[in-house]
Amino acid sequence: MNHFLAREDFPHLLRALTQAGYDCVGPQIRQGAIVFDHLHSVTQLPQGWQDEQQPAHYRLEQTDSPYWFDWSNGASAIKPYTFAPQENLWTVQRDQSGRLRFQATLPKPQKTAIIGVRACDLAALALQDQHFLHGKHVDPYYQARRESLLLIGVNCTHAAATCFCVSTGDGPEIRQPYDLLLSEIAAGFLLSSGSTAGATLAAQLPLTPASNAQQHTAQQRMHAATQQQRHLPAKPPLFAHLDHPHWQTVGARCLACGNCTSVCPTCFCHQAVEIPDLDGDTSRHERRWDSCFQPGHSYIHGWQIRSNATDYYRQWLTHKLAGWHEQFGRSGCTGCGRCISWCPAGIDLTAEVEQLG
């Protein structure tokens, strides 16, 4: 990184984004957690806040530090900005002749700049791109939202106790494509651009050359985030252990609430719902997030393939950590650790894999 943006000059970035027509989104505190929301001023950023995470545990703590991004992650990744939790895909209407006419309802998203994207979430976005954009059939709904995004990544300097992105190879340093990349130090940010749009924005900022001392400090801070307590094997042999007794042990603890799939930045299961209007002539076809922990997820013509928490958890873990290698060439886990923190039963994916051999 060759450029430096002073902390007091950060509003220039927000101003440049707004003038370019972007709706700015950044991390803020809502109901005791860090979430992404509309950002109009740097005063909305979580200055001095740090997160403490353990299995079934998430707390924020206020410190007197000047940092805005000295936390690991919140419950929500950037997935809702591309894969909408609920959206209308098409409408169908019966005309006077009785013929059905279908009309796609493609979204028209506003240009959005997301500030503070983490390495694990950019890695997850690359996986979602692979599924929604790079397969045989492109999803135009996802594509419209994805093309509206400008991504400003911030390298992690703080790893929660639940993080294991080093073992998955996805963090804490950002390696996936970005538009702008920031590394935070006390006085401001080291900055580099990764796209034409990012370079155009950078050219409008009061940047100075980054000194060797500033670059060294940024590297030291990022190195601190590599000290992680948890580890995930690259390709655990789960398909060879489908009858392992530990599946029953973890199934007895699992509440089948689906929190793990909701907070996971790579999960993309969904269901289709028809919503007929009262006039009997029109209907909407909605896509909603679904979870493999829901009974209806495995329902096939009068038969439910998976019917209890043991089956749900085995399906989720074997698909994400083993099946994805066949589908996408890598694991479906990017080491963010959200499924550990936000599981009300404290089920720890890394610990369960270790037990399963």
Short mmCIF file of all heavy atoms in Angstrom, two decimals, residues 181-239:
data_model
loop_
_atom_site.label_atom_id
_atom_site.label_comp_id
_atom_site.label_asym_id
_atom_site.label_seq_id
_atom_site.Cartn_x
_atom_site.Cartn_y
_atom_site.Cartn_z
N LEU A 181 -8.91 -0.73 -0.78
CA LEU A 181 -8.48 -1.52 0.37
C LEU A 181 -7.85 -0.60 1.40
O LEU A 181 -6.99 0.22 1.06
CB LEU A 181 -7.47 -2.59 -0.07
CG LEU A 181 -6.86 -3.45 1.05
CD1 LEU A 181 -7.95 -4.20 1.82
CD2 LEU A 181 -5.84 -4.42 0.48
N LEU A 182 -8.29 -0.73 2.66
CA LEU A 182 -7.79 0.10 3.74
C LEU A 182 -7.14 -0.77 4.80
O LEU A 182 -7.59 -1.89 5.07
CB LEU A 182 -8.93 0.89 4.39
CG LEU A 182 -9.82 1.73 3.47
CD1 LEU A 182 -10.96 2.36 4.27
CD2 LEU A 182 -8.99 2.81 2.78
N SER A 183 -6.08 -0.24 5.41
CA SER A 183 -5.51 -0.81 6.62
C SER A 183 -5.45 0.31 7.65
O SER A 183 -4.84 1.36 7.40
CB SER A 183 -4.10 -1.38 6.37
OG SER A 183 -4.18 -2.60 5.68
N GLU A 184 -6.08 0.10 8.79
CA GLU A 184 -6.22 1.17 9.78
C GLU A 184 -5.06 1.22 10.75
O GLU A 184 -4.67 0.19 11.32
CB GLU A 184 -7.53 0.97 10.56
CG GLU A 184 -7.86 2.12 11.49
CD GLU A 184 -9.21 1.95 12.16
OE1 GLU A 184 -9.63 0.80 12.36
OE2 GLU A 184 -9.83 2.98 12.49
N ILE A 185 -4.50 2.39 10.94
CA ILE A 185 -3.54 2.65 12.00
C ILE A 185 -4.09 3.85 12.78
O ILE A 185 -5.10 4.42 12.41
CB ILE A 185 -2.12 2.92 11.46
CG1 ILE A 185 -2.10 4.14 10.53
CG2 ILE A 185 -1.58 1.70 10.72
CD1 ILE A 185 -0.69 4.51 10.04
N ALA A 186 -3.43 4.23 13.86
CA ALA A 186 -4.01 5.25 14.74
C ALA A 186 -4.26 6.57 14.01
O ALA A 186 -5.29 7.21 14.20
CB ALA A 186 -3.09 5.47 15.93
N ALA A 187 -3.33 6.98 13.16
CA ALA A 187 -3.45 8.29 12.52
C ALA A 187 -4.37 8.28 11.31
O ALA A 187 -4.75 9.36 10.83
CB ALA A 187 -2.07 8.80 12.12
N GLY A 188 -4.70 7.11 10.78
CA GLY A 188 -5.54 7.07 9.58
C GLY A 188 -5.49 5.73 8.90
O GLY A 188 -5.48 4.68 9.56
N PHE A 189 -5.38 5.74 7.57
CA PHE A 189 -5.51 4.51 6.79
C PHE A 189 -4.48 4.44 5.68
O PHE A 189 -4.28 5.43 4.94
CB PHE A 189 -6.91 4.45 6.17
CG PHE A 189 -8.01 4.42 7.17
CD1 PHE A 189 -8.53 5.61 7.68
CD2 PHE A 189 -8.53 3.22 7.63
CE1 PHE A 189 -9.54 5.59 8.63
CE2 PHE A 189 -9.54 3.20 8.58
CZ PHE A 189 -10.05 4.39 9.08
N LEU A 190 -3.86 3.28 5.53
CA LEU A 190 -3.12 3.00 4.31
C LEU A 190 -4.15 2.59 3.27
O LEU A 190 -5.10 1.86 3.59
CB LEU A 190 -2.10 1.90 4.53
CG LEU A 190 -0.76 2.37 5.12
CD1 LEU A 190 -0.92 2.83 6.55
CD2 LEU A 190 0.29 1.28 4.99
N LEU A 191 -3.96 3.04 2.05
CA LEU A 191 -5.01 2.86 1.04
C LEU A 191 -4.40 2.42 -0.29
O LEU A 191 -3.34 2.91 -0.71
CB LEU A 191 -5.76 4.18 0.86
CG LEU A 191 -6.92 4.23 -0.14
CD1 LEU A 191 -7.98 5.24 0.33
CD2 LEU A 191 -6.43 4.64 -1.54
N SER A 192 -5.09 1.49 -0.94
CA SER A 192 -4.72 1.11 -2.30
C SER A 192 -6.00 0.84 -3.08
O SER A 192 -7.04 0.52 -2.50
CB SER A 192 -3.82 -0.14 -2.32
OG SER A 192 -4.50 -1.25 -1.79
N SER A 193 -5.94 0.99 -4.38
CA SER A 193 -7.11 0.75 -5.23
C SER A 193 -6.94 -0.57 -5.97
O SER A 193 -5.82 -0.97 -6.30
CB SER A 193 -7.31 1.90 -6.21
OG SER A 193 -6.17 2.07 -7.03
N GLY A 194 -8.09 -1.22 -6.24
CA GLY A 194 -8.06 -2.51 -6.91
C GLY A 194 -8.91 -2.56 -8.16
O GLY A 194 -9.10 -3.64 -8.74
N SER A 195 -9.44 -1.41 -8.58
CA SER A 195 -10.28 -1.37 -9.77
C SER A 195 -10.23 0.05 -10.35
O SER A 195 -9.73 0.98 -9.70
CB SER A 195 -11.73 -1.74 -9.44
OG SER A 195 -12.33 -0.71 -8.66
N THR A 196 -10.77 0.19 -11.53
CA THR A 196 -10.83 1.52 -12.15
C THR A 196 -11.70 2.46 -11.32
O THR A 196 -11.33 3.62 -11.10
CB THR A 196 -11.40 1.41 -13.57
OG1 THR A 196 -10.57 0.54 -14.34
CG2 THR A 196 -11.45 2.78 -14.24
N ALA A 197 -12.84 1.94 -10.82
CA ALA A 197 -13.71 2.77 -9.98
C ALA A 197 -12.99 3.18 -8.71
O ALA A 197 -13.10 4.34 -8.26
CB ALA A 197 -14.99 2.00 -9.66
N GLY A 198 -12.24 2.25 -8.12
CA GLY A 198 -11.49 2.58 -6.91
C GLY A 198 -10.41 3.61 -7.17
O GLY A 198 -10.19 4.54 -6.38
N ALA A 199 -9.70 3.47 -8.30
CA ALA A 199 -8.65 4.43 -8.63
C ALA A 199 -9.23 5.82 -8.87
O ALA A 199 -8.62 6.84 -8.50
CB ALA A 199 -7.90 3.94 -9.87
N THR A 200 -10.41 5.88 -9.48
CA THR A 200 -11.07 7.18 -9.72
C THR A 200 -11.40 7.86 -8.40
O THR A 200 -11.19 9.07 -8.24
CB THR A 200 -12.35 6.97 -10.54
OG1 THR A 200 -12.00 6.37 -11.79
CG2 THR A 200 -13.05 8.30 -10.80
N LEU A 201 -11.89 7.08 -7.44
CA LEU A 201 -12.19 7.65 -6.13
C LEU A 201 -10.91 8.07 -5.42
O LEU A 201 -10.85 9.17 -4.82
CB LEU A 201 -12.93 6.62 -5.28
CG LEU A 201 -14.40 6.39 -5.63
CD1 LEU A 201 -14.91 5.13 -4.97
CD2 LEU A 201 -15.23 7.61 -5.18
N ALA A 202 -9.89 7.23 -5.47
CA ALA A 202 -8.63 7.55 -4.79
C ALA A 202 -8.02 8.85 -5.31
O ALA A 202 -7.42 9.62 -4.54
CB ALA A 202 -7.65 6.39 -4.95
N ALA A 203 -8.20 9.10 -6.60
CA ALA A 203 -7.63 10.32 -7.20
C ALA A 203 -8.27 11.58 -6.65
O ALA A 203 -7.71 12.68 -6.78
CB ALA A 203 -7.80 10.26 -8.72
N GLN A 204 -9.44 11.45 -6.02
CA GLN A 204 -10.14 12.62 -5.48
C GLN A 204 -9.82 12.86 -4.00
O GLN A 204 -10.34 13.80 -3.40
CB GLN A 204 -11.65 12.43 -5.63
CG GLN A 204 -12.11 12.21 -7.06
CD GLN A 204 -13.59 11.86 -7.13
OE1 GLN A 204 -14.43 12.55 -6.58
NE2 GLN A 204 -13.90 10.77 -7.81
N LEU A 205 -8.98 12.01 -3.42
CA LEU A 205 -8.73 12.08 -1.98
C LEU A 205 -7.40 12.77 -1.70
O LEU A 205 -6.45 12.69 -2.52
CB LEU A 205 -8.72 10.66 -1.39
CG LEU A 205 -9.99 9.83 -1.62
CD1 LEU A 205 -9.82 8.44 -1.04
CD2 LEU A 205 -11.20 10.53 -1.02
N PRO A 206 -7.28 13.43 -0.54
CA PRO A 206 -6.03 14.10 -0.16
C PRO A 206 -5.01 13.09 0.38
O PRO A 206 -4.74 13.04 1.58
CB PRO A 206 -6.48 15.10 0.90
CG PRO A 206 -7.67 14.45 1.54
CD PRO A 206 -8.37 13.70 0.44
N LEU A 207 -4.47 12.28 -0.51
CA LEU A 207 -3.55 11.21 -0.10
C LEU A 207 -2.12 11.72 -0.05
O LEU A 207 -1.74 12.64 -0.78
CB LEU A 207 -3.65 10.04 -1.08
CG LEU A 207 -5.03 9.41 -1.25
CD1 LEU A 207 -5.00 8.32 -2.33
CD2 LEU A 207 -5.54 8.84 0.07
N THR A 208 -1.34 11.08 0.79
CA THR A 208 0.10 11.33 0.83
C THR A 208 0.80 9.97 0.72
O THR A 208 0.19 8.93 1.00
CB THR A 208 0.51 12.01 2.15
OG1 THR A 208 0.11 11.16 3.25
CG2 THR A 208 -0.14 13.38 2.26
N PRO A 209 2.06 9.96 0.32
CA PRO A 209 2.76 8.67 0.27
C PRO A 209 2.85 8.04 1.66
O PRO A 209 3.11 8.73 2.65
CB PRO A 209 4.16 9.05 -0.26
CG PRO A 209 3.95 10.35 -0.97
CD PRO A 209 2.88 11.07 -0.20
N ALA A 210 2.60 6.75 1.74
CA ALA A 210 2.69 6.05 3.03
C ALA A 210 4.16 5.86 3.39
O ALA A 210 4.97 5.43 2.56
CB ALA A 210 1.98 4.70 2.95
N SER A 211 4.51 6.19 4.61
CA SER A 211 5.90 6.04 5.06
C SER A 211 6.19 4.57 5.39
O SER A 211 5.26 3.77 5.60
CB SER A 211 6.14 6.90 6.30
OG SER A 211 5.41 6.38 7.40
N ASN A 212 7.46 4.24 5.48
CA ASN A 212 7.84 2.87 5.86
C ASN A 212 7.32 2.53 7.25
O ASN A 212 6.89 1.41 7.52
CB ASN A 212 9.35 2.71 5.79
CG ASN A 212 9.87 2.75 4.37
OD1 ASN A 212 9.15 2.43 3.41
ND2 ASN A 212 11.12 3.13 4.20
N ALA A 213 7.36 3.53 8.14
CA ALA A 213 6.89 3.29 9.52
C ALA A 213 5.39 3.00 9.53
O ALA A 213 4.92 2.12 10.26
CB ALA A 213 7.20 4.51 10.38
N GLN A 214 4.63 3.73 8.74
CA GLN A 214 3.18 3.49 8.67
C GLN A 214 2.88 2.11 8.11
O GLN A 214 2.01 1.40 8.61
CB GLN A 214 2.51 4.57 7.82
CG GLN A 214 2.47 5.95 8.49
CD GLN A 214 2.02 7.05 7.54
OE1 GLN A 214 2.25 6.96 6.32
NE2 GLN A 214 1.42 8.09 8.07
N GLN A 215 3.61 1.71 7.08
CA GLN A 215 3.37 0.38 6.49
C GLN A 215 3.77 -0.72 7.47
O GLN A 215 3.10 -1.76 7.56
CB GLN A 215 4.15 0.26 5.18
CG GLN A 215 3.67 1.24 4.11
CD GLN A 215 4.25 0.95 2.74
OE1 GLN A 215 4.14 -0.16 2.25
NE2 GLN A 215 4.85 1.96 2.13
N HIS A 216 4.85 -0.49 8.21
CA HIS A 216 5.28 -1.48 9.20
C HIS A 216 4.24 -1.63 10.31
O HIS A 216 3.91 -2.75 10.73
CB HIS A 216 6.63 -1.06 9.78
CG HIS A 216 7.14 -2.00 10.84
ND1 HIS A 216 7.55 -3.29 10.55
CD2 HIS A 216 7.28 -1.84 12.18
CE1 HIS A 216 7.93 -3.89 11.66
NE2 HIS A 216 7.78 -3.04 12.68
N THR A 217 3.70 -0.50 10.75
CA THR A 217 2.66 -0.54 11.81
C THR A 217 1.43 -1.29 11.31
O THR A 217 0.84 -2.11 12.04
CB THR A 217 2.27 0.89 12.21
OG1 THR A 217 3.43 1.56 12.71
CG2 THR A 217 1.18 0.88 13.27
N ALA A 218 1.02 -1.03 10.07
CA ALA A 218 -0.15 -1.70 9.52
C ALA A 218 0.08 -3.21 9.44
O ALA A 218 -0.81 -4.01 9.76
CB ALA A 218 -0.49 -1.14 8.14
N GLN A 219 1.26 -3.63 9.04
CA GLN A 219 1.57 -5.06 8.96
C GLN A 219 1.56 -5.70 10.34
O GLN A 219 1.07 -6.82 10.53
CB GLN A 219 2.93 -5.25 8.29
CG GLN A 219 2.91 -5.04 6.78
CD GLN A 219 2.08 -6.11 6.06
OE1 GLN A 219 2.01 -7.25 6.48
NE2 GLN A 219 1.42 -5.70 4.98
N GLN A 220 2.10 -4.97 11.33
CA GLN A 220 2.12 -5.52 12.69
C GLN A 220 0.70 -5.70 13.23
O GLN A 220 0.39 -6.71 13.86
CB GLN A 220 2.89 -4.57 13.61
CG GLN A 220 4.40 -4.72 13.53
CD GLN A 220 5.09 -3.92 14.63
OE1 GLN A 220 4.71 -2.79 14.91
NE2 GLN A 220 6.10 -4.50 15.25
N ARG A 221 -0.16 -4.72 12.97
CA ARG A 221 -1.53 -4.82 13.45
C ARG A 221 -2.27 -5.97 12.78
O ARG A 221 -3.04 -6.69 13.41
CB ARG A 221 -2.27 -3.49 13.21
CG ARG A 221 -1.89 -2.41 14.20
CD ARG A 221 -2.56 -1.07 13.89
NE ARG A 221 -3.97 -1.16 13.64
CZ ARG A 221 -4.91 -1.33 14.57
NH1 ARG A 221 -4.56 -1.45 15.84
NH2 ARG A 221 -6.19 -1.38 14.25
N MET A 222 -2.05 -6.15 11.50
CA MET A 222 -2.71 -7.24 10.80
C MET A 222 -2.15 -8.59 11.26
O MET A 222 -2.90 -9.58 11.36
CB MET A 222 -2.54 -7.09 9.28
CG MET A 222 -3.39 -8.02 8.47
SD MET A 222 -3.50 -7.49 6.76
CE MET A 222 -1.76 -7.37 6.33
N HIS A 223 -0.86 -8.63 11.58
CA HIS A 223 -0.26 -9.89 12.06
C HIS A 223 -0.92 -10.35 13.36
O HIS A 223 -1.06 -11.55 13.60
CB HIS A 223 1.24 -9.71 12.26
CG HIS A 223 1.92 -10.94 12.77
ND1 HIS A 223 2.13 -12.05 11.98
CD2 HIS A 223 2.40 -11.25 14.02
CE1 HIS A 223 2.73 -12.99 12.70
NE2 HIS A 223 2.89 -12.54 13.94
N ALA A 224 -1.34 -9.37 14.18
CA ALA A 224 -1.99 -9.73 15.44
C ALA A 224 -3.25 -10.55 15.20
O ALA A 224 -3.61 -11.42 16.01
CB ALA A 224 -2.33 -8.46 16.23
N ALA A 225 -3.93 -10.29 14.09
CA ALA A 225 -5.17 -11.01 13.80
C ALA A 225 -4.91 -12.43 13.30
O ALA A 225 -5.86 -13.21 13.15
CB ALA A 225 -5.99 -10.25 12.77
N THR A 226 -3.66 -12.76 13.01
CA THR A 226 -3.36 -14.13 12.57
C THR A 226 -3.24 -15.09 13.75
O THR A 226 -3.18 -16.31 13.56
CB THR A 226 -2.05 -14.18 11.76
OG1 THR A 226 -0.95 -13.85 12.63
CG2 THR A 226 -2.09 -13.21 10.60
N GLN A 227 -3.18 -14.56 14.96
CA GLN A 227 -3.05 -15.40 16.16
C GLN A 227 -4.44 -15.90 16.54
O GLN A 227 -5.14 -15.29 17.34
CB GLN A 227 -2.41 -14.61 17.30
CG GLN A 227 -1.12 -13.90 16.91
CD GLN A 227 -0.08 -14.84 16.31
OE1 GLN A 227 0.27 -15.86 16.93
NE2 GLN A 227 0.42 -14.52 15.12
N GLN A 228 -4.84 -17.03 15.96
CA GLN A 228 -6.19 -17.54 16.15
C GLN A 228 -6.17 -18.87 16.89
O GLN A 228 -5.25 -19.67 16.73
CB GLN A 228 -6.89 -17.68 14.79
CG GLN A 228 -6.98 -16.35 14.04
CD GLN A 228 -7.65 -16.45 12.68
OE1 GLN A 228 -8.00 -17.53 12.21
NE2 GLN A 228 -7.82 -15.30 12.04
N GLN A 229 -7.20 -19.10 17.69
CA GLN A 229 -7.24 -20.28 18.56
C GLN A 229 -7.85 -21.49 17.88
O GLN A 229 -7.63 -22.61 18.31
CB GLN A 229 -8.06 -19.95 19.81
CG GLN A 229 -7.53 -18.76 20.61
CD GLN A 229 -8.47 -18.36 21.71
OE1 GLN A 229 -9.31 -19.15 22.15
NE2 GLN A 229 -8.35 -17.13 22.20
N ARG A 230 -8.63 -21.28 16.85
CA ARG A 230 -9.34 -22.39 16.23
C ARG A 230 -8.74 -22.71 14.87
O ARG A 230 -8.13 -21.86 14.21
CB ARG A 230 -10.83 -22.07 16.12
CG ARG A 230 -11.56 -22.21 17.42
CD ARG A 230 -13.01 -21.78 17.34
NE ARG A 230 -13.76 -22.23 18.50
CZ ARG A 230 -13.68 -21.67 19.70
NH1 ARG A 230 -12.88 -20.64 19.89
NH2 ARG A 230 -14.38 -22.16 20.71
N HIS A 231 -8.98 -23.95 14.44
CA HIS A 231 -8.40 -24.44 13.19
C HIS A 231 -9.40 -25.38 12.53
O HIS A 231 -10.11 -26.14 13.21
CB HIS A 231 -7.09 -25.18 13.48
CG HIS A 231 -6.51 -25.86 12.28
ND1 HIS A 231 -5.76 -25.20 11.33
CD2 HIS A 231 -6.60 -27.16 11.87
CE1 HIS A 231 -5.42 -26.06 10.39
NE2 HIS A 231 -5.90 -27.25 10.70
N LEU A 232 -9.47 -25.33 11.22
CA LEU A 232 -10.34 -26.24 10.46
C LEU A 232 -9.50 -26.97 9.43
O LEU A 232 -8.82 -26.32 8.62
CB LEU A 232 -11.46 -25.45 9.77
CG LEU A 232 -12.52 -26.28 9.05
CD1 LEU A 232 -13.38 -27.05 10.06
CD2 LEU A 232 -13.40 -25.39 8.18
N PRO A 233 -9.54 -28.31 9.41
CA PRO A 233 -8.78 -29.04 8.39
C PRO A 233 -9.26 -28.66 6.99
O PRO A 233 -10.42 -28.31 6.78
CB PRO A 233 -9.11 -30.51 8.69
CG PRO A 233 -9.61 -30.52 10.09
CD PRO A 233 -10.27 -29.20 10.33
N ALA A 234 -8.35 -28.75 6.03
CA ALA A 234 -8.67 -28.32 4.67
C ALA A 234 -9.82 -29.12 4.07
O ALA A 234 -10.70 -28.56 3.41
CB ALA A 234 -7.43 -28.44 3.79
N LYS A 235 -9.83 -30.43 4.29
CA LYS A 235 -10.87 -31.26 3.70
C LYS A 235 -11.15 -32.44 4.63
O LYS A 235 -10.68 -33.56 4.38
CB LYS A 235 -10.45 -31.75 2.30
CG LYS A 235 -11.58 -32.38 1.50
CD LYS A 235 -11.12 -32.74 0.09
CE LYS A 235 -12.26 -33.34 -0.71
NZ LYS A 235 -11.82 -33.70 -2.08
N PRO A 236 -11.91 -32.21 5.69
CA PRO A 236 -12.17 -33.31 6.63
C PRO A 236 -12.94 -34.43 5.94
O PRO A 236 -13.86 -34.18 5.15
CB PRO A 236 -13.02 -32.63 7.72
CG PRO A 236 -13.60 -31.41 7.08
CD PRO A 236 -12.59 -30.97 6.07
N PRO A 237 -12.60 -35.70 6.21
CA PRO A 237 -13.23 -36.85 5.51
C PRO A 237 -14.60 -37.20 6.08
O PRO A 237 -14.83 -38.32 6.55
CB PRO A 237 -12.21 -37.97 5.74
CG PRO A 237 -11.59 -37.65 7.06
CD PRO A 237 -11.55 -36.14 7.15
N LEU A 238 -15.53 -36.26 6.03
CA LEU A 238 -16.83 -36.45 6.69
C LEU A 238 -17.68 -37.52 6.01
O LEU A 238 -18.44 -38.23 6.66
CB LEU A 238 -17.59 -35.12 6.72
CG LEU A 238 -16.92 -34.01 7.54
CD1 LEU A 238 -17.78 -32.75 7.51
CD2 LEU A 238 -16.68 -34.45 8.98
N PHE A 239 -17.59 -37.63 4.68
CA PHE A 239 -18.40 -38.64 3.99
C PHE A 239 -18.01 -40.06 4.41
O PHE A 239 -18.81 -40.99 4.29
CB PHE A 239 -18.26 -38.49 2.48
CG PHE A 239 -19.08 -37.34 1.91
CD1 PHE A 239 -18.53 -36.46 1.00
CD2 PHE A 239 -20.39 -37.15 2.30
CE1 PHE A 239 -19.27 -35.40 0.48
CE2 PHE A 239 -21.15 -36.10 1.80
CZ PHE A 239 -20.59 -35.23 0.88
#
